[in-house]
Amino acid sequence: GCLYKLVVQNFKSYAGYLEIGPFKDFTCVIGPNGSGKSNLMDAISFVVGVTATTLRGSRIADFRSNLSTASASPTSVSLFYRGPEKGSGKFDEIQFTRTITSRDTSEYKIDNKKVDEKEYQRRLKSIGLLVKSRNFLVFQNEVEAVAQKTPKQLTELLERIS
Amino acid sequence: GCLYKLVVQNFKSYAGYLEIGPFKDFTCVIGPNGSGKSNLMDAISFVVGVTATTLRGSRIADFRSNLSTASASPTSVSLFYRGPEKGSGKFDEIQFTRTITSRDTSEYKIDNKKVDEKEYQRRLKSIGLLVKSRNFLVFQNEVEAVAQKTPKQLTELLERIS
Amino acid sequence: RCELFNKCFDHVKGCIDEIYKELTCDPTKVEQSVGGSAYLTLNNQEEPYMDGIKYDTIPPGKRFMDMTHLSGGEKTVAALALLFAINSYCPAPFIVLDEVDAALDARNVAKVTRYIQSRRHEQQCVIISLKERFYEKADGLVGICRDITGGHSNVFTLDLSMYEDGIQ
Amino acid sequence: RCELFNKCFDHVKGCIDEIYKELTCDPTKVEQSVGGSAYLTLNNQEEPYMDGIKYDTIPPGKRFMDMTHLSGGEKTVAALALLFAINSYCPAPFIVLDEVDAALDARNVAKVTRYIQSRRHEQQCVIISLKERFYEKADGLVGICRDITGGHSNVFTLDLSMYEDGIQ
Ligand SMILES: Nc1ncnc2c1ncn2[C@@H]1O[C@H](COP(=O)(O)OP(=O)(O)OP(=O)(O)O)[C@@H](O)[C@H]1O
Ligand SMILES: Nc1ncnc2c1ncn2[C@@H]1O[C@H](COP(=O)(O)OP(=O)(O)OP(=O)(O)O)[C@@H](O)[C@H]1O
Ligand SMILES: [Mg+2]
Ligand SMILES: [Mg+2]
């Protein structure tokens, strides 16, 4: 399967409603310093359930766009996942959505139906996204640290994956 | 004043005797990954008296070149400092030399005369090289950390300089 | 628990060297045609998850040195090899990397992009990069720029596979 | 002790904004012709060295955000401004920087090299860089490569000021 497209609404520097995609097998995100590239990675991390403290923020409210061009809708990100091709161009498609409520909590939906966080995480795991291990996300300036982990940290990393 | 030239002997990837320079007002050090650029910065840091733990090593012995092309001479670095021009092309020149002895201790020389560490540091300070504050050396991957220092760390930094 | 751990460890240990060789070999240079080598070793054989795991790499043509003495670029390549080896154990559908090429010189950028191109159909890659030599090898681009008046991010997408000859 | 600290703090606070403006302004773009702004503020006015100092920067054309929310490139430029401001208080004869341009895009590389060129006669700069756009602006180059047979570093020097028109 793959990440097919994203829909981002009032998330950090992404004001208003934006559809981003489709993503190819090897997609590069480019743009000048401060344009919003890492914010896009934060959006992907947010929708798969990564906690706020990992994403340069301390509270969930930090993800709400503070721009004047932001719209009144709540901050939310949707990830459209496409399963492996089933023959004759047919795919399974799942839409994962995470929204910030007015009380600064998170609301989770799968194909537009509300679910609790446990169910959301279970379904992500079923397609191979183990959010706890985060082995599929490498944030800015973190790559060298992967090779310099202490022996204990490496064991912990493999423990989380297994 | 300025850094005029360096003489490096059996220091890390610099095997044998090497003279490097002269250095211009704005000099760039270039070369492929793993060629020895950061090792050259380590040589400059070593000769001005920075301790081993800051320089990717844990012991002083780590600076001895392990290459088969290294010569039998001890590991040493000399920094040739040139003072401001005194008129008609005359300069003060001072040669600072730090050598690793056979017992893994450091030997310091100024213009080829042995001095103790205190005198060496005093003389460096007299030309503006405050090694304790290290405000003139930024090691690889450290630049962003300068802007993210906590308020307490910033106070300490300014305290060391003043 | 111990069984699961061993299974994971054995898998990663088994493939790390091959992945590192693929990432570091340079077919155009005789002395690097094979690439470097990479090892994972357990500090405590009996109860592996009680103790640590040591990771070592030797860049092509060099002697063994502790990981701390390697250069910035050499550490980045070692880290990417470990990352891909771990990912091959339980592959996520996609991977997102943010400027992992920052410390790489032109030759290593070429090696890493070649490796990513070779595995992109098994695991989708989304990579943020500032280097032309890196992103010109992608299938598609997502370009982001800041709107002058509103300050928000504008997004454009470009399908590079249409320009197969052009960019390459 | 307090007096010395205050003298240093007042100096750095006094020049940080000007240096940051010089590093971030872009004379070719109207909306950035002035550059951003930078501040140092004391948490405790009476006894400054007892408490902390807060450093904030606002990139050109943006609103105020805490330093943690800035991008990698924006943080690098903020760090360089602080470094040069501190250095102007008790200048060392030279400064050595190791790949500080890693997170910078082409436009910021141009701004930083322009700034370094303008102050190079006051303080000598030795800078390690992998980017052509950066090192082509230098007065001289020290090239390092690894010897194929011996494995050691070979060094070449090149005086660029002879090629004034060529490279620039
Ligand atoms: N909640 C928010 N609302 C609006 N804008 C925000 C918010 N949080 C961060 N930003 C803006 O996002 C910018 C940083 O974007 P980002 O980190 O994605 O840049 P980048 O493209 O990754 O740049 P670089 O190449 O330097 O890493 C900041 O300058 C800040 O102004
Ligand atoms: N004591 C030593 N003796 C010989 N060689 C050494 C020694 N210590 C380190 N090295 C070698 O130096 C190399 C690292 O050099 P250095 O860190 O200067 O590279 P660099 O040019 O900065 O590369 P990058 O661009 O990736 O940062 C290592 O690969 C290692 O083989
Ligand atoms: Mg970024
Ligand atoms: Mg280096």
Side-chain angles (χ1 to χ4, degrees), chain C residues 135-146:
Chain C
Y135 59 74
E136 67 183 15
K137 303 271 190 273
D139 302 331
L141 293 179
V142 171
I144 300 178
C145 67
R146 205 171 147 260

Side-chain angles (χ1 to χ4, degrees), chain B residues 38 140, chain D residues 98-99:
Chain B
S38 298
Q140 203 163 348
Chain D
D98 194 347
E99 295 189 29

Side-chain angles (χ1 to χ4, degrees), chain C residues 76-92:
Chain C
T76 292
V77 174
L80 290 173
L82 184 63
L83 202 83
F84 290 128
I86 288 175
N87 254 290
S88 74
Y89 178 63
C90 58

Side-chain angles (χ1 to χ4, degrees), chain A residues 144, chain B residues 10-14 30-42 56 61-67 140, chain C residues 59 62-65 69-75 103-105 108, chain D residues 98-99 128 130 144 146 151 153:
Chain A
E144 273 187 47
Chain B
N10 296 324
F11 183 89
K12 288 188 135 186
S13 55
Y14 294 91
I30 64 176
N33 285 151
S35 55
K37 302 184 296 297
S38 298
N39 289 343
L40 186 62
M41 182 174 179
D42 289 348
R56 288 186 293 176
D62 291 340
F63 298 131
R64 287 212 185 86
S65 180
N66 66 15
L67 294 164
Q140 203 163 348
Chain C
K62 294 210 168 178
R63 305 164 143 229
F64 179 83
M65 302 226 35
H69 295 295
L70 294 187
S71 82
E74 290 167 339
K75 280 180 191 159
L104 299 180
D105 63 10
N108 277 321
Chain D
D98 194 347
E99 295 189 29
I128 298 171
L130 291 174
I144 300 181
R146 207 173 141 258
S153 298

Side-chain angles (χ1 to χ4, degrees), chain C residues 18-25 77-78 80-82 84 108 111-116:
Chain C
E18 187 195 325
I19 291 176
Y20 187 70
K21 280 193 168 44
E22 249 187 282
L23 263 172
T24 53
C25 75
V77 174
L80 290 173
L82 184 63
F84 290 128
N108 277 321
K111 289 179 184 179
V112 169
T113 48
R114 194 188 62 218
Y115 181 73
I116 286 174

Side-chain angles (χ1 to χ4, degrees), chain A residues 56-115:
Chain A
R56 288 187 292 178
S58 36
R59 308 181 313 281
I60 267 230
D62 291 342
F63 297 132
R64 290 214 181 90
S65 179
N66 67 15
L67 293 165
S68 54
T69 44
S71 70
S73 324
T75 298
S76 93
V77 179
S78 294
L79 186 154
F80 291 79
Y81 167 78
R82 265 206 177 166
E85 189 162 342
K86 293 161 66 175
S88 70
K90 279 212 187 337
F91 305 91
D92 281 339
E93 225 182 60
I94 312 174
Q95 181 186 345
F96 294 93
T97 306
R98 182 178 178 186
T99 309
I100 301 180
T101 66
S102 52
R103 298 182 313 286
D104 282 358
T105 60
S106 290
E107 182 184 272
Y108 299 93
K109 286 186 198 154
I110 293 179
D111 296 333
N112 281 322
K113 286 198 295 298
K114 259 172 93 170
V115 293

Side-chain angles (χ1 to χ4, degrees), chain C residues 14-140:
Chain C
C15 66
I16 185 77
D17 188 51
E18 187 195 325
I19 291 176
Y20 187 70
K21 280 193 168 44
E22 249 187 282
L23 263 172
T24 53
C25 75
D26 185 348
T28 61
K29 296 216 168 136
V30 162
E31 82 285 351
Q32 303 199 349
S33 58
V34 180
S37 27
Y39 317 95
L40 277 185
T41 41
L42 280 173
N43 291 356
N44 173 348
Q45 297 292 344
E46 282 70 49
E47 302 214 301
Y49 49 86
M50 297 300 289
D51 216 322
I53 301 170
K54 185 110 184 58
Y55 177 45
D56 285 300
T57 57
I58 308 176
K62 294 210 168 178
R63 305 164 143 229
F64 179 83
M65 302 226 35
D66 189 69
M67 184 69 81
T68 51
H69 295 295
L70 294 187
S71 82
E74 290 167 339
K75 280 180 191 159
T76 292
V77 174
L80 290 173
L82 184 63
L83 202 83
F84 290 128
I86 288 175
N87 254 290
S88 74
Y89 178 63
C90 58
F94 60 84
I95 188 170
V96 185
L97 308 177
D98 194 347
E99 295 191 27
V100 292
D101 58 348
L104 299 180
D105 63 10
R107 227 174 51 213
N108 277 321
V109 164
K111 289 179 184 179
V112 169
T113 48
R114 194 188 62 218
Y115 181 73
I116 286 174
Q117 281 179 318
S118 72
R119 70 185 301 277
R120 67 182 190 275
H121 301 306
E122 287 136 52
Q123 185 179 42
Q124 181 188 30
C125 286
V126 177
I127 302 178
I128 298 171
S129 171
L130 293 173
K131 300 188 180 190
E132 282 135 52
R133 285 177 217 270
F134 196 98
Y135 59 74
E136 67 183 15
K137 303 271 190 273
D139 302 331

